[in-house]
Amino acid sequence: MVSLEKIREEMKSRLSIDKDLHTVEVRAESIDEALADASIQLETKVPNLEYEVLERGSNGFLSIGKKSWLLRIYQNPETVALKKKAYSDELFGDSSFEGENVNVDRDGLFYVRHFGSSIRLKVLLPVGNGRPVELSEVLDAVKRPDTENFDQKAIEKYIKNGTDNGYVTVGTYKHISSADALISVDITKDELHAYITVDAPAMSGAEVTADLIEKSLKAQGVRCGIDDAKISEFVDNPVYSTPFEVATAVMPEDGKDAYVQYNFEIDQDKLKAQESESGNVDFKELNKIQNVVKGQVLATKMPATKGKGGKTLFGHYLEAKNGKDIVVQLGQNCEFEKDGVTIVASVDGQVLFINNKITVEPLLTLDAVNIKSGNVKFVGSVIIKGAVEDGFDVKATGTVDIGGTVGKCNIESEAGDVIIHQGAFGKNEGSLKAGRSLYCKFVQEMKIEVEQNVIATDSLMNCDITAMKNIVVYGKKAQITGGNLFATEEICARTLGSPGGGTTTILTVGVDPRAKKKLDELLEQQQELVKELENLDLDISTLENMKKIRKSLPGDKEETLKKFLSRKGQIIDENKEMSSEIESLQSHLRDLKAVGKVKVEGTVYPGTKIYVRDVLDEVHNEVNGCTFYYENAFAKRGKYEPPSLDTSKGPEGYN
């Protein structure tokens, strides 16, 4: 059941909120314009406003009979309460309104004022460990020679509960009107500032109230910019015989000029080398290239904003300047989206800011790759005029074209060719990987993996090569010496192996190189599992026999036996999965349609091993002008056949 006391408290709370509400009546062409005008007068944001329609507007017909809107506008009571609370908190350094949980200790405060013929009291409760207001201090301020009566019990109640940031009557005094404080209002000529000057009241005279200050301002024609917080500050702590500002015009706010917000660094000098967590700088990772992909947002044009007009204290409009628009010029390979402000890349590549234009370059050209350039990672194709020095890597999504030599490096093209006009010296640490083919003069001691062909004009020496189509070496030397080479279709050269036979050269054709390698790895792993299982069986048998004889095992040995049995179960499960995968790979290799051939125009030296569809043909004596092929489950030799691949075409896009 709701008590009468609760209803009174609720009505008191609502009355307090209503007192803080200020309304303005605005006539404008539209509701939006009226709200914008009111937001200036009430010094708040448009979303905080509510309104009542006094006169409904109309657009008329062809602007004939057009009628403006008349609205009564006021601030949302909840936002008024929040603003009031914020002001109260700010007076005492309380930042809780901003959402920060800061523990602040503040002593309680009280103010005793004489308004009209009443003695008024305002009590602010202590915060945290602050000292509460002392009754004796309040009574000392209330008791004056002209005091007629006061309610001590009410004072005690207010000291305990506070006065909700307002003044309450606690007594009366003998009021003499001629002794009242005198107030005067001064307004600057530019109508931007209003000051009050108050002469202190004599004994038995009344002090100025907030209502009196506001009425005095309005009597002088002040309509806008009245600062309730300043007025409240003066009432609580009056400053006599000194001008005190209580109203300020709403100053205009000029609009912001349009600008471009970039999603990349437009100043190349600010791009820095990559720093590790320990603070060390990797000078190979210079981060000089800013890669972007097609459709990636590069920048956004932020439009100019309109100025927000102000008003003088008398309500005269203060004009604001609108922000200036700018024209954004685009370079190559970038475009605006449909919204007209979002700039995106139209191709993959490197984003640059050249001559105040955003440009995307799908082709990166470098003189060389070394300590000056650092490692290269590029979304697009890369042309390197010189060499790639030892220890530096190049990775691109498109073609990598290198004019010089390649050292102990890792070169990778995800979807294009790798072209090396000179040679590559991997020193058994470098690698070459191409999404299409590798074109080179010679390669020594490197790991090579391509999705199509490896084509060399001189030699391949001691390389580990996997080609999903062909390996072709042509030219005067056209030599393959040492290494392990896989090709699904053909391997062609003028010379295979070495005259002395000191270097083993192994060639495999007619199989899927990756499947073959995976199969070999699985078979090796399976052998290791079998060995581990045999050792486990011996250990388990020993422990179980010991248990039969002793009928029990010590705790540590029993735990060891459980671990051995658990591991045995894991090995059996792993072996089943491995066997299934091995069988699938073997079936795939058996069904492979590529026959596979090794074609040698010149000499095949002894010691060369040639696998044609897993059938070994080891060369014990020199063979000249021969083709190795597979037929009826046997590896056979026939007359030399020229390569099926036309090497005169060269890389795609090159002459």
Side-chain angles (χ1 to χ4, degrees), residues 279-295:
N280 296 324
V281 176
D282 185 353
F283 288 101
K284 291 183 181 179
E285 298 293 342
L286 298 181
N287 293 325
K288 288 188 175 182
I289 301 170
Q290 299 183 84
N291 291 301
V292 295
V293 297
K294 182 179 180 180

Side-chain angles (χ1 to χ4, degrees), residues 210-436:
D211 287 342
L212 177 59
I213 294 172
E214 190 168 342
K215 287 178 181 178
S216 298
L217 290 170
K218 290 181 177 179
Q220 295 295 324
V222 177
R223 293 176 50 198
C224 304
I226 296 175
D227 192 333
D228 293 335
K230 284 282 187 179
I231 293 174
S232 179
E233 180 185 343
F234 182 88
V235 171
D236 290 344
N237 300 285
V239 180
Y240 293 119
S241 302
T242 302
F244 188 89
E245 187 174 7
V246 289
T248 306
V250 180
M251 300 304 294
E253 296 178 12
D254 291 341
K256 293 181 180 179
D257 293 342
Y259 66 96
V260 178
Q261 181 175 301
Y262 298 95
N263 296 339
F264 63 97
E265 181 54 65
I266 61 174
D267 186 352
Q268 291 287 111
D269 294 335
K270 292 184 179 179
L271 296 174
K272 297 181 180 179
Q274 184 173 320
E275 188 174 313
S276 65
E277 293 181 359
S278 60
N280 296 324
V281 176
D282 185 353
F283 288 101
K284 291 183 181 179
E285 298 293 342
L286 298 181
N287 293 325
K288 288 188 175 182
I289 301 170
Q290 299 183 84
N291 291 301
V292 295
V293 297
K294 182 179 180 180
Q296 182 173 335
V297 177
L298 306 177
T300 304
K301 177 186 174 183
M302 309 305 290
T305 59
K306 291 184 177 181
K308 183 179 180 183
K311 284 198 174 183
T312 69
L313 298 178
F314 295 160
H316 297 142
Y317 184 72
L318 294 174
E319 188 174 359
K321 295 179 181 179
N322 292 328
K324 296 179 181 179
D325 195 13
I326 59 172
V327 177
V328 181
Q329 294 182 338
L330 301 183
Q332 295 180 340
N333 303 315
C334 55
E335 59 191 7
F336 279 106
E337 287 196 329
K338 292 180 180 179
D339 60 9
V341 296
T342 305
I343 302 167
V344 298
S346 54
V347 297
D348 296 347
Q350 174 187 201
V351 61
L352 299 168
F353 193 66
I354 303 173
N355 296 327
N356 293 322
K357 294 180 182 179
I358 302 172
T359 300
V360 178
E361 289 287 352
L363 182 66
L364 174 65
T365 302
L366 300 170
D367 290 331
V369 175
N370 47 34
I371 191 68
K372 186 177 180 181
S373 67
N375 293 333
V376 176
K377 294 179 182 177
F378 187 65
V379 180
S381 296
V382 179
I383 295 178
I384 302 164
K385 297 177 181 179
V388 182
E389 296 182 5
D390 284 351
F392 290 91
D393 300 335
V394 178
K395 184 175 181 180
T397 58
T399 295
V400 177
D401 188 331
I402 303 169
T405 58
V406 174
K408 185 175 61 178
C409 310
N410 298 307
I411 310 296
E412 180 179 352
S413 166
E414 290 184 5
D417 299 316
V418 172
I419 304 166
I420 304 172
H421 293 269
Q422 299 299 318
F425 304 90
K427 301 176 185 178
N428 290 319
E429 292 185 35
S431 67
L432 301 171
K433 189 174 182 180
R436 290 199 301 232

